[in-house]
Amino acid sequence: MSPRTKTANEQLKQKTRQSIVEAAFTLFAERGYAQTSMTLVAQRAGISKGLIYHYFQSKQELLLGIFHFYKQQGAQQLAWDESDSAAQKLRKLIELNFSYLTDQPQIRKFSFQIALQAEVVEGLKKAIEQNKGYWEKQMHEIFRALGYAEPELESIKLTCLMDGIALRYLSVHDYPLARMKQLIFKEYGLL
Amino acid sequence: MSPRTKTANEQLKQKTRQSIVEAAFTLFAERGYAQTSMTLVAQRAGISKGLIYHYFQSKQELLLGIFHFYKQQGAQQLAWDESDSAAQKLRKLIELNFSYLTDQPQIRKFSFQIALQAEVVEGLKKAIEQNKGYWEKQMHEIFRALGYAEPELESIKLTCLMDGIALRYLSVHDYPLARMKQLIFKEYGLL
Amino acid sequence: MSPRTKTANEQLKQKTRQSIVEAAFTLFAERGYAQTSMTLVAQRAGISKGLIYHYFQSKQELLLGIFHFYKQQGAQQLAWDESDSAAQKLRKLIELNFSYLTDQPQIRKFSFQIALQAEVVEGLKKAIEQNKGYWEKQMHEIFRALGYAEPELESIKLTCLMDGIALRYLSVHDYPLARMKQLIFKEYGLL
Amino acid sequence: MSPRTKTANEQLKQKTRQSIVEAAFTLFAERGYAQTSMTLVAQRAGISKGLIYHYFQSKQELLLGIFHFYKQQGAQQLAWDESDSAAQKLRKLIELNFSYLTDQPQIRKFSFQIALQAEVVEGLKKAIEQNKGYWEKQMHEIFRALGYAEPELESIKLTCLMDGIALRYLSVHDYPLARMKQLIFKEYGLL
DNA sequence: TATGAATGAGAATTCATTCAT
DNA sequence: GATGAATGAATTCTCATTCAT
């Protein structure tokens, strides 16, 4: 009842919530949403099935919860030094994209799956598109600064290229990722 | 002896088989493999559930059946004029890719889903990769003929770019497809 | 339409009927009635599923048909020389039982299965019991002739012993059948 | 933390598990394994279909579970006084066999059915044979102690005889069981 | 808050039987 | 008589969700 206990409780709750989200996220990305049972999520999270329903009303809510959780994470990492030149920014952005892909392939896999799934969860696709839109806008600015004739189109193109690379990397496993990065750098004069 | 002539029977079988494949394909692409029940497939095909199992041993076999059915279709369209120049071939290939995407978006959606699905069906991923490999090899030849320094890498890049475009087109719906095509044409000097 | 054709037809019908019965019998004995599908019976008999239903109204009727068919076969083989002594008859009976078991193990397996199955087919158990009763009566006479104090009981005992041996032989596969026969012969002074 | 005490939970589980085993066992013995649906088992046990799968992974596992459950029961009853003479032991063994047959006819029926079923459950036949082997070994020792020339063969013979009697008793219902027991006692000089 | 036994709706699959030809 | 495509009811099994404790 004391405020200290309340805080401790709150932390414990957050921790449990996070362990559920992490377990579910990994499993959904690896196996797909439909192929992952709540029992499996509970096992991976090291808690009971019933407890998940204390934190998330349903499996769909859990999916939504995952997305919001990781959207926050993703947004934090983009923050860059405003003193960087446009070219430097572009390089960092591309680097970030590739390292993101190799370090946390699950996140990409997960969001691709959601993107291809029609209306699994109302609002989820919209959220993903917004997230993507944010990255594209950053690129748009960069390409404009670099003097590209059609900066918006160019940013869409680069995003698509990187998505295509990610898609291939995630399904085929001996993919020449490093050489593709070099190719892109060369194309944008970043070498 | 036979109730129907052999030919008539064969035609009947082909027709039924195709109606199953078409129904299943559309539904799998729209809703995903796991989210589509055999009952739904049967309803869409206008037949009984049991009959599907007369033609396909299991849901997985049905998935495999769909893939082989459409692979044949795709292969037929690729046949081009051998007298074409490399540049003309490249243009045709890109054109085909785009028209394929707009005309039969489901096929792409379907194969992306399969690619992301870890091991839904043993052998299916391999088959898809082989199919992709075939297209890439065609491009590889073209880029070599066009004198590119790294024809293989270039073909991978173009394939990825077009996959990324397809992916985006299939999830966002107001996508500047025509302008993207122009951009690609320009990049490869095809305008 | 000519009588000759009629006969030929009749023979053909009998032959088809028999091939169905034989296929079904073997399969029912090997796999059990419930685990054998009509499709499998048709395949084994080398005919179509539909044709079985021309000869037998249902799967149960087929089962009944099998039994009657083999009851006839079994009855024919028992006929022995009336001039034999009781001891000779007993020896022949035991010999016949053992050779029947090794030559046509399926028949025994089949009838055991039916015997243990409560009421799969009305009347089938009764028919099997009658058949068994016939054999026991033959033995009864023999034991009476041999001067046994309780010939009926003795015949029941011997029948049971041979059934028990058969049962074991059919489930375990390295069973000392020959030595068991010797033991029985010795017990009844037939050596 | 736990909703029920661990002990209470364990008891609940045991009770439910047992009610499933008992229901399934009775039904399998009465109607046969294949002819008994899981729905029927659930109804008889007074629980939902799904719950059976909480305790047994499949119908086959349930069958195996039944066997192990009743094997334990059987083993407990065999424990006899080591001070008994061989003849007394033999008598007790035969008595036990007959009382087991009349008291729990289902168990015998069940194991006979399994024995005849080719490969319904991998490992089950082996387990049954092992169980039978155990009884035969006990008899083997007794017959050796009693000075029989071929104790092993004699034990097989007696086992077969009692199996044959059981088989007959289970299918015919007015079977002279008491008199058969007397006959066996007389044969082995136990009167 | 936490557990996991229990439920029930629905999924995949099988199969005896029918029927158009 | 003969075929085998087609049906539909039943069967095994799964799983999100609830609930007593």
Side-chain angles (χ1 to χ4, degrees), chain C residues 72-90:
Chain C
Q72 289 181 333
Q73 283 213 338
Q76 287 163 358
Q77 297 184 24
L78 192 57
W80 54 43
D81 198 332
E82 278 307 319
S83 66
D84 285 339
S85 72
Q88 278 172 321
K89 279 181 179 170
L90 184 58

Side-chain angles (χ1 to χ4, degrees), chain C residues 19-36:
Chain C
S19 73
I20 295 169
V21 165
E22 278 170 2
F25 165 74
T26 309
L27 291 166
F28 287 177
E30 271 171 11
R31 315 164 45 99
Y33 174 75
Q35 286 84 356
T36 304

Side-chain angles (χ1 to χ4, degrees), chain B residues 47-150:
Chain B
I47 55 158
S48 71
K49 238 185 312 183
L51 191 54
I52 301 180
Y53 288 89
H54 192 71
Y55 290 92
F56 302 93
Q57 288 197 349
S58 65
K59 198 181 177 185
Q60 291 207 352
E61 286 291 321
L62 174 54
L63 186 55
L64 217 53
I66 292 171
F67 178 74
H68 289 308
F69 186 83
Y70 286 96
K71 197 173 69 173
Q72 284 183 332
Q73 285 209 342
Q76 287 164 358
Q77 298 185 22
L78 190 59
W80 53 41
D81 200 331
E82 278 306 317
S83 66
D84 285 341
S85 72
Q88 278 171 321
K89 278 182 181 172
L90 184 58
R91 178 199 297 273
K92 278 191 182 171
L93 208 116
I94 295 169
E95 291 272 17
L96 186 59
N97 193 290
F98 277 94
S99 62
Y100 211 58
L101 178 59
T102 48
D103 295 352
Q104 306 218 46
Q106 306 292 44
I107 293 184
R108 268 301 180 51
K109 199 166 184 181
F110 177 76
S111 73
F112 283 155
Q113 283 185 9
I114 298 302
L116 287 169
Q117 215 84 164
E119 309 297 325
V120 182
V121 177
E122 196 59 35
L124 185 46
K125 280 188 81 170
K126 222 167 280 173
I128 288 182
E129 282 174 24
Q130 276 178 7
N131 196 33
K132 220 145 232 175
Y134 169 76
W135 285 74
E136 252 169 44
K137 217 172 104 189
Q138 302 295 327
M139 275 196 221
H140 187 167
E141 298 299 322
I142 294 170
F143 283 122
R144 185 200 311 280
L146 290 173
Y148 275 72
E150 297 193 281

Side-chain angles (χ1 to χ4, degrees), chain D residues 18-37:
Chain D
Q18 183 164 345
S19 73
I20 295 170
V21 165
E22 279 169 2
F25 166 70
T26 310
L27 289 166
F28 287 177
E30 270 171 12
R31 316 164 45 101
Y33 174 75
Q35 286 83 357
T36 303
S37 73

Side-chain angles (χ1 to χ4, degrees), chain A residues 8 27-28 40 71-72 120 124 129 163:
Chain A
L27 290 167
F28 287 177
L40 197 56
K71 199 171 63 173
Q72 288 180 336
V120 182
L124 187 46
E129 281 172 26
D163 272 1

Side-chain angles (χ1 to χ4, degrees), chain C:
Chain C
M1 293 296 166
S2 72
R4 207 175 296 166
T5 309
K6 241 183 188 166
T7 317
N9 255 346
E10 195 58 35
Q11 281 179 348
L12 186 63
K13 270 172 74 174
Q14 278 308 316
K15 215 181 119 193
T16 307
R17 194 184 175 86
Q18 182 168 343
S19 73
I20 295 169
V21 165
E22 278 170 2
F25 165 74
T26 309
L27 291 166
F28 287 177
E30 271 171 11
R31 315 164 45 99
Y33 174 75
Q35 286 84 356
T36 304
S37 73
M38 293 297 263
T39 303
L40 196 55
V41 174
Q43 278 173 1
R44 185 71 77 97
I47 56 159
S48 74
K49 239 185 313 184
L51 193 51
I52 300 181
Y53 286 87
H54 266 284
Y55 290 92
F56 302 93
Q57 289 196 351
S58 67
K59 199 182 176 185
Q60 289 212 349
E61 288 290 320
L62 176 55
L63 185 56
L64 218 50
I66 291 170
F67 181 72
H68 290 311
F69 185 82
Y70 282 92
K71 198 170 65 173
Q72 289 181 333
Q73 283 213 338
Q76 287 163 358
Q77 297 184 24
L78 192 57
W80 54 43
D81 198 332
E82 278 307 319
S83 66
D84 285 339
S85 72
Q88 278 172 321
K89 279 181 179 170
L90 184 58
R91 178 199 297 273
K92 278 190 182 171
L93 208 122
I94 294 169
E95 292 271 19
L96 186 60
N97 195 290
F98 276 94
S99 62
Y100 211 57
L101 178 59
T102 48
D103 295 352
Q104 306 217 47
Q106 308 291 40
I107 295 185
R108 263 317 200 353
K109 205 166 183 180
F110 179 78
S111 71
F112 283 152
Q113 281 188 9
I114 298 300
L116 288 168
Q117 215 86 161
E119 308 298 325
V120 181
V121 176
E122 197 59 36
L124 187 46
K125 281 187 78 172
K126 223 167 279 174
I128 288 183
E129 282 172 24
Q130 278 176 7
N131 196 31
K132 226 152 224 169
Y134 170 75
W135 284 71
E136 251 169 45
K137 220 171 102 189
Q138 302 293 328
M139 275 195 220
H140 187 167
E141 297 300 322
I142 293 170
F143 283 122
R144 185 198 312 278
L146 290 172
Y148 275 71
E150 297 193 281
E152 192 184 0
L153 216 56
E154 194 63 43
S155 80
I156 293 177
K157 192 194 113 188
L158 181 52
T159 317
C160 285
L161 177 56
M162 290 195 304
D163 271 1
I165 290 168
L167 188 61
R168 195 67 69 86
Y169 172 71
L170 291 168
S171 41
V172 188
H173 273 306
D174 56 338
Y175 186 83
L177 211 53
R179 291 170 68 204
M180 285 307 296
K181 192 159 76 170
Q182 291 307 309
L183 198 70
I184 294 177
F185 277 167
K186 194 153 62 174
E187 185 166 339
Y188 291 101
L190 301 172
L191 282 188

